Every structure is written in C-alpha cells, then in structure tokens.
Amino acid sequence: MPVQTVDTFPALISCFVSDLAHLLEETTPRTPSATDFIDLVERTRDLLASSNLGNLTDASEDLKALTHLRDAIGTAS
C-alpha cells in the first residue's frame, strides 16, 4: 500500500482559515501565507481570551500552542 503524504500546514490553513476569519468578522483571505494564517490564529486567540465566557477563554488556551508552531517554521515576529 503506497504511503500518502500530506503537506500538513496548507491542510490546516484550508480547513480553518474561513472559520477563523468569520470569528473575527473579517473576509476570508484568498491565499493566506503561513505567516498570515498564524496572525489570524493569534488574533482569534486574543479575541477569545478577552471573552467573559469560560468556554471561549478555554478555547483561547488551546490556541496558545501556536507560539511554538510559529517559532518552528521560522516566522517569529
């Protein structure tokens, strides 16, 4: 059986970019770069963290791993 390889980061971008943009009440970027996607996730994380609703602040905690991803791909700002 042949091994199927997937470029994970573009797959993440295509799966989540429109949902994240929707949460921020923004239009979905047409072809976001990895840096654009990470910026979108960070802004979503910050928005969720500022919420008074426990489930949204919990969701922001889940997005904190992004810092490690940003550093790993060499786009640290």
Side-chain angles (χ1 to χ4, degrees):
M1 176 186 229
V3 175
Q4 182 179 7
T5 60
V6 174
D7 196 349
T8 305
F9 205 69
L12 285 172
I13 290 172
S14 68
C15 287
F16 295 109
V17 73
S18 66
D19 291 335
L20 295 171
H22 180 73
L23 285 169
L24 294 170
E25 298 180 350
E26 297 179 2
T27 58
T28 303
R30 286 186 185 255
T31 53
S33 67
T35 304
D36 295 335
F37 177 72
I38 289 171
D39 178 62
L40 192 64
V41 174
E42 287 177 332
R43 290 185 293 120
T44 303
R45 178 199 63 208
D46 295 344
L47 175 73
L48 295 175
S50 68
S51 170
N52 291 328
L53 299 174
N55 60 334
L56 295 181
T57 54
D58 290 346
S60 76
E61 290 294 319
D62 294 337
L63 295 177
K64 283 190 177 181
L66 180 70
T67 303
H68 302 293
L69 179 59
R70 181 188 60 223
D71 294 342
I73 65 168
T75 60
S77 37

